[in-house]
Amino acid sequence: MSGSASGASGSAEDRSAEDRSAEDRSVSRDEQLTVVHVVRHGEVHNPDGVLYGRRPGYHLSDLGRQMADRVAEHLGKRDITHVVASPLERAQETAAPVAKAHGLDLATDARLIEAANVFEGKTFGVGDGALRKPDNWKHLTNPFRPSWGEPYIEQVVRMMGALDAARDAARGHEAVCVSHQLPIWILRSFVERRRLWHDPRKRQCTLASLTSFTYRGDRIVSVGYSEPARDLVPAHLLAGAKPVKGKAAKGQSKAFGA
């Protein structure tokens, strides 16, 4: 009888130890820091200034490839364990040097894709007369949704999903997600509790920039921003710069739909 009692007691103690161990792991997980860097791709070869949006066939320019290499260099000593990109070529090409530098496979997440836009494939900018065309007016009625493209709230939902998935894939380490300017800015605006409608000229999300989200457990505790390739970015593409009118100079991109 005493042997059985002793065995039962031992089992109870073992279970208690297992419970304590699980509790310790749970607390550790809740306090674990994970950083997800959301990178905007580098400059795209687009001399005609087309709003390319989700269209295939738009690749990084030579300058854009330099920007991608700069990002990879900047992140070279970071604890990157997961790299994922939008399915569009310019995002994949920006992410590739980062994945290579860390010996990682490059994953793809469709939720990181550029925002849909009804003006995709057209030139739509300052000085091209687009706002004077009656056919375009019906798409410009509601800047708060917006009426010309994918609703801001839908961008928030998919980008938060991609961000959380990257966090889970790199928990306790760092991840890199390569995406596009508007979805990144909408994501940051949501996390920082700003209104989602905005002046596009004032987005702090230049080419090859990093918007970095730090998680403690599953909760975002801070947002950082850096521009490791700022010296490579043409002045007219920096935040707050005046838009280029008409066609861009030869070999220069207006970066529409970026």
Side-chain angles (χ1 to χ4, degrees), residues 3 66 84 141 151 153 156 197 205 220 228:
Q66 291 181 48
V84 61
T141 56
I153 192 60
V156 167
W197 60 273
C205 188
I220 296 173

Side-chain angles (χ1 to χ4, degrees), residues 51 117-125 128-142 147-149:
L51 197 156
N117 192 308
V118 297
F119 297 113
E120 198 172 284
K122 301 178 181 179
T123 56
F124 188 84
D128 63 10
L131 295 177
R132 294 194 296 271
K133 297 175 182 177
D135 287 348
N136 290 337
W137 295 349
K138 62 186 177 183
H139 301 299
L140 302 172
T141 56
N142 185 356
S147 53
W148 56 81

Side-chain angles (χ1 to χ4, degrees), residues 1-257:
M1 290 291 293
S2 61
S4 297
S6 174
S9 174
S11 297
E13 289 175 1
D14 289 343
R15 285 196 297 273
S16 178
E18 289 172 2
D19 290 344
R20 286 197 301 272
S21 178
E23 183 179 345
D24 289 344
R25 287 196 301 271
S26 176
V27 170
S28 176
R29 179 187 174 91
D30 289 344
E31 293 300 309
Q32 232 170 11
L33 291 179
T34 307
V35 181
V36 182
H37 305 283
V38 186
V39 180
R40 183 184 171 194
H41 61 78
E43 188 197 50
V44 175
H45 180 66
N46 181 27
D48 294 327
V50 173
L51 197 156
Y52 40 77
R54 295 181 173 180
R55 291 192 161 208
Y58 285 88
H59 298 268
L60 294 182
S61 64
D62 290 341
L63 181 61
R65 293 183 185 279
Q66 291 181 48
M67 293 177 182
D69 288 340
R70 179 70 65 80
V71 171
E73 180 183 355
H74 177 75
L75 293 171
K77 294 183 179 180
R78 307 288 299 200
D79 183 24
I80 307 296
T81 62
H82 181 66
V83 181
V84 61
S86 152
L88 297 174
E89 293 97 332
R90 56 194 185 270
Q92 294 277 317
E93 292 164 0
T94 300
V98 180
K100 182 178 179 181
H102 291 273
L104 299 170
D105 291 331
L106 174 57
T108 299
D109 190 331
R111 291 173 294 187
L112 294 170
I113 201 167
E114 172 65 290
N117 192 308
V118 297
F119 297 113
E120 198 172 284
K122 301 178 181 179
T123 56
F124 188 84
V126 176
D128 63 10
L131 295 177
R132 294 194 296 271
K133 297 175 182 177
D135 287 348
N136 290 337
W137 295 349
K138 62 186 177 183
H139 301 299
L140 302 172
T141 56
N142 185 356
F144 307 106
R145 187 178 183 266
S147 53
W148 56 81
E150 182 183 10
Y152 292 137
I153 192 60
E154 290 183 12
Q155 295 179 52
V156 167
V157 170
R158 65 177 172 85
M159 289 294 288
M160 282 300 303
L163 195 71
D164 288 349
R167 173 208 62 203
D168 290 343
R171 193 175 289 275
H173 304 279
E174 300 185 30
V176 172
C177 301
V178 181
S179 187
H180 308 267
Q181 186 191 53
L182 178 55
I184 296 172
W185 182 247
I186 292 301
L187 172 65
R188 179 179 173 184
S189 296
F190 174 79
V191 170
E192 295 183 333
R193 299 185 179 182
R194 290 194 303 273
R195 67 190 187 197
L196 301 183
W197 60 273
H198 60 282
D199 182 343
R201 296 169 297 181
K202 296 181 179 179
R203 294 172 188 157
Q204 190 184 37
C205 188
T206 195
L207 292 165
S209 61
L210 281 68
T211 303
S212 302
F213 299 84
T214 299
Y215 285 84
R216 184 178 295 279
D218 292 340
R219 182 170 60 91
I220 296 173
V221 294
S222 68
V223 180
Y225 178 78
S226 59
E227 298 178 350
R230 183 179 177 86
D231 60 306
L232 298 176
V233 179
H236 71 283
L237 295 179
L238 293 170
K242 292 182 179 179
V244 173
K245 293 184 179 182
K247 287 191 175 182
K250 186 177 180 180
Q252 185 182 67
S253 172
K254 294 169 75 174
F256 283 119

